[in-house]
Amino acid sequence: MNYGEYLKQRAIIEEENKNLIGNVLNADELKVNEKLNRLKAEVLEHNETDRLYKMNLLSNADLFNSDLYRFIGDLPKACDLHVHATALLPARKLMDFVENHKKLVVDINSGCIHHICEENYDKNTCFPLSVIYERGLLDCTELEKKWTMLGKKHSENVWEYFENLLCLFEAIEFDYEILYDYYVTCFNYYLKNNVFHIEIHALLSEDTKKAFELANVIKRAYFAVKDSHPELCVSIICAGLKYVGVGEKSIKNYLGNALRMRNEIVDDYDKQNPHPFIIGFDLVNEEDKSVPLKDIAPLLLECAEKYPDFNLYLHCGESLNAQSDNLIDGYLLNAKRVGHGMNLYRYPKLLQRYAEKEICLECCVISNQTLKYTKDIRLHPGAEYLKRGVTVSLCSDDPVCQEHETLTDDFFAATVCWDLNLADLKQLSINSILYSGVDKFQKSMLIAHFKNAWRDFINKYI
């Protein structure tokens, strides 16, 4: 090969790899992409490298006050396909909610939220948030540390600390009217953050009556917001627990409740054109302390045979353990998407299968960083998965204790640390629609709204 041919081949390879995902930009979008590149350069120039790539947006005001962060906030992000119930609002937004609901009190020592009708809470340390502020017992910054991963000490086990945090917010479900208000607030907040479809992984009770009640509260709040925002779409993925020691009876109860609700609770906002509201099933917990999926496979395979249109959206590969092979089971169990997929890189042939089968990875960049699966987001495997043709959607996971603004943080981190361009961001948003669990009609409506929102976004920044 002479040097001229060498340069020609090099140009071809450069062009092939220029765009990680493959979307094509028009002339106006190319101009906005130039704007994006300038904003990225500003962030890189004005932030310390070590601190930047750890991407702790809760503690770094320079980042969330940057022009790039505002740009990403305005970006139509379409769908959040992996977020857990009662964890949707970031801590600062949750503070506003709790302050406005006088039946909720906060323990000034632990930060735990209680309802005034609960029996076992200490009235000497628990007060309405407005009273706490007035008396100077806690300020917003101190409470944020109690409610988020900012408060974790170096010596504390990250998962134990994280799971204890989630327990602080359980009282939101104590009063169904407060829970209704919570979801109304969440859905309006998501819309303002340019996310218009949400798939909530809801850990519903083994008790059938309570499971139905919780799902119906979410549905009622969804319909209330949809009255003024017809573009909103909400679905539930029923979740059960898979911790080591969980009995098969419990998992059967979770699965049975999910199947019953799928038949009885539908998205009938449009009475003439109803859609599924309960779209699938998941099992959650820290993966390295959970029952392997292969042990539960017979139960899930039996369900798939009886109910072939009931989808699995399984947490898989949220692990650094070389022996953790749940992603094999996610593939064999025909999961439509898998949560996280962090260690798929350990199985190169399986990675190729995921790419060919278009099993979408729900990639939660900020969550993976705060839970110590990656210390430097540049090294997060999601960037490599994109290059290898694996379908990826960016998701938030548990914003309440991990994010400054839901999903905006994940897009911001990926933009900076993976050096994404506008075409990549556009395709990631489109992926969230194409690989969502809604039916074809709903997807067509979401795509139509996204096109309009994207056009407005480009016009704003052109």
Side-chain angles (χ1 to χ4, degrees):
M1 180 188 300
N2 60 38
Y3 187 58
E5 182 62 22
Y6 168 89
L7 291 176
K8 181 179 178 181
Q9 292 300 319
R10 195 177 195 286
I12 291 172
I13 294 171
E14 277 187 337
E15 190 63 32
E16 287 174 345
N17 291 276
K18 186 177 293 183
N19 181 7
L20 294 181
I21 304 174
N23 208 332
V24 177
L25 300 180
N26 61 32
D28 286 345
E29 289 170 328
L30 287 170
K31 292 177 182 177
V32 176
N33 187 56
E34 292 175 6
K35 171 81 170 178
L36 171 60
N37 288 334
R38 290 195 297 274
L39 297 179
K40 276 195 294 183
E42 289 175 8
V43 168
L44 293 168
E45 181 182 353
H46 293 104
N47 287 273
E48 280 182 37
T49 300
D50 287 347
R51 189 181 184 201
L52 177 62
Y53 293 120
K54 290 179 181 177
M55 198 55 71
N56 193 331
L57 285 154
L58 285 174
S59 65
N60 194 341
D62 289 343
L63 292 181
F64 60 73
N65 287 325
S66 67
D67 289 336
L68 177 60
Y69 193 86
R70 283 186 282 274
F71 178 96
I72 298 298
D74 289 336
L75 182 87
K77 293 167 282 291
C79 311
D80 192 349
L81 302 181
H82 184 129
V83 62
H84 292 277
T86 67
L88 283 81
L89 283 181
R92 293 281 178 155
K93 302 294 187 295
L94 183 61
M95 290 178 201
D96 295 339
F97 177 83
V98 172
E99 187 177 7
N100 290 328
H101 287 78
K102 305 306 178 186
K103 291 183 179 180
L104 295 177
V105 294
V106 176
D107 190 307
I108 58 173
N109 295 323
S110 67
C112 188
I113 300 170
H114 294 280
H115 191 281
I116 58 172
C117 293
E118 289 181 59
E119 295 181 359
N120 298 317
Y121 74 92
D122 189 346
K123 295 183 180 179
N124 295 314
T125 60
C126 296
F127 308 96
L129 199 48
S130 58
V131 173
I132 290 174
Y133 291 155
E134 288 168 7
R135 296 182 184 177
L137 301 174
L138 282 175
D139 62 24
C140 293
T141 301
E142 292 169 320
L143 185 56
E144 186 176 38
K145 284 187 177 180
K146 293 181 182 295
W147 280 3
T148 70
M149 299 299 289
L150 288 176
K152 178 190 169 297
K153 297 176 182 177
H154 183 72
S155 59
E156 292 178 285
N157 178 279
V158 66
W159 259 93
E160 287 181 10
Y161 184 85
F162 168 63
E163 290 181 330
N164 287 335
L165 281 182
L166 295 179
C167 293
L168 299 179
F169 316 115
E170 290 179 349
I172 292 172
E173 292 188 346
F174 183 88
D175 182 326
Y176 285 168
E177 286 311 305
I178 289 179
L179 185 63
Y180 166 83
D181 288 344
Y182 171 81
Y183 280 112
V184 167
T185 302
C186 290
F187 299 152
N188 279 309
Y189 163 73
Y190 264 81
L191 289 165
K192 289 180 181 178
N193 213 27
N194 296 296
V195 180
F196 42 86
H197 174 53
I198 313 156
E199 297 191 358
I200 303 171
H201 290 245
L203 182 58
L204 300 175
S205 173
E206 286 185 67
D207 178 83
T208 303
K209 180 176 181 292
K210 186 174 181 181
F212 269 78
E213 289 171 348
L214 292 172
N216 275 309
V217 170
I218 298 174
K219 176 182 171 180
R220 187 159 59 93
Y222 161 41
F223 281 11
V225 178
K226 195 173 177 68
D227 281 343
S228 53
H229 295 279
E231 71 275 19
L232 177 65
C233 185
V234 175
S235 304
I236 291 178
I237 297 169
C238 291
L241 296 172
K242 58 176 179 178
Y243 57 86
V244 171
V246 68
E248 184 176 324
K249 180 181 177 182
S250 292
I251 295 177
K252 282 185 174 179
N253 283 344
Y254 286 124
L255 188 54
N257 283 340
L259 290 166
R260 281 189 285 273
M261 286 191 290
R262 180 194 69 148
N263 292 329
E264 297 182 34
I265 304 177
V266 297
D267 181 352
D268 55 355
Y269 185 85
D270 179 355
K271 303 294 185 184
Q272 305 302 316
N273 189 22
H275 310 282
F277 186 56
I278 310 297
I279 60 170
F281 185 69
D282 183 19
L283 290 162
V284 301
N285 277 120
E286 181 183 358
E287 189 155 345
D288 293 334
K289 293 184 179 179
S290 293
V291 177
L293 285 177
K294 61 187 174 186
D295 292 355
I296 310 169
L299 182 61
L300 297 177
L301 287 169
E302 180 184 355
C303 176
E305 185 176 350
K306 290 182 179 178
Y307 309 97
D309 59 341
F310 189 62
N311 294 324
L312 296 177
Y313 301 92
L314 298 171
H315 276 63
C316 295
E318 190 184 13
S319 173
L320 297 177
N321 183 355
Q323 307 304 316
S324 177
D325 58 3
N326 284 319
L327 282 162
I328 297 174
D329 306 290
Y331 175 82
L332 292 174
L333 290 167
N334 200 31
K336 293 300 180 184
R337 299 192 309 266
V338 301
H340 302 286
M342 281 287 293
N343 66 355
L344 184 58
Y345 64 89
R346 294 186 182 275
Y347 304 92
K349 295 294 185 182
L350 182 63
L351 186 152
Q352 185 177 348
R353 288 174 180 261
Y354 267 70
E356 292 171 351
K357 200 172 181 179
E358 296 186 46
I359 300 174
C360 182
L361 302 186
E362 301 160 352
C363 189
C364 307
V365 182
I366 298 297
S367 174
N368 297 153
Q369 191 275 330
T370 58
L371 294 179
K372 307 304 181 186
Y373 291 107
T374 178
K375 292 183 179 179
D376 186 326
I377 296 177
R378 289 173 297 180
L379 303 179
H380 190 289
E384 186 66 20
Y385 296 155
L386 290 173
K387 293 178 182 178
R388 298 297 181 95
V390 178
T391 304
V392 168
S393 173
L394 293 181
C395 306
S396 65
D397 203 10
D398 298 284
V400 65
C401 48
Q402 297 173 334
E403 307 221 2
H404 179 73
E405 293 283 353
T406 300
L407 204 56
T408 296
D409 289 22
D410 301 278
F411 271 80
F412 181 88
T415 299
V416 174
C417 299
W418 299 353
D419 194 23
L420 300 183
N421 62 29
L422 190 65
D424 303 327
L425 298 177
K426 183 179 182 181
Q427 189 62 56
L428 285 166
S429 297
I430 292 172
N431 283 352
S432 72
I433 299 174
L434 297 180
Y435 296 90
S436 65
V438 297
D439 61 28
K440 291 181 179 179
F441 178 83
Q442 288 171 302
K443 283 183 182 180
S444 67
M445 298 298 290
L446 292 172
I447 289 171
H449 181 70
F450 175 78
K451 287 181 177 179
N452 291 332
W454 185 263
R455 182 194 63 235
D456 293 343
F457 168 73
I458 295 299
N459 288 338
K460 177 176 180 176
Y461 280 94
I462 199 70

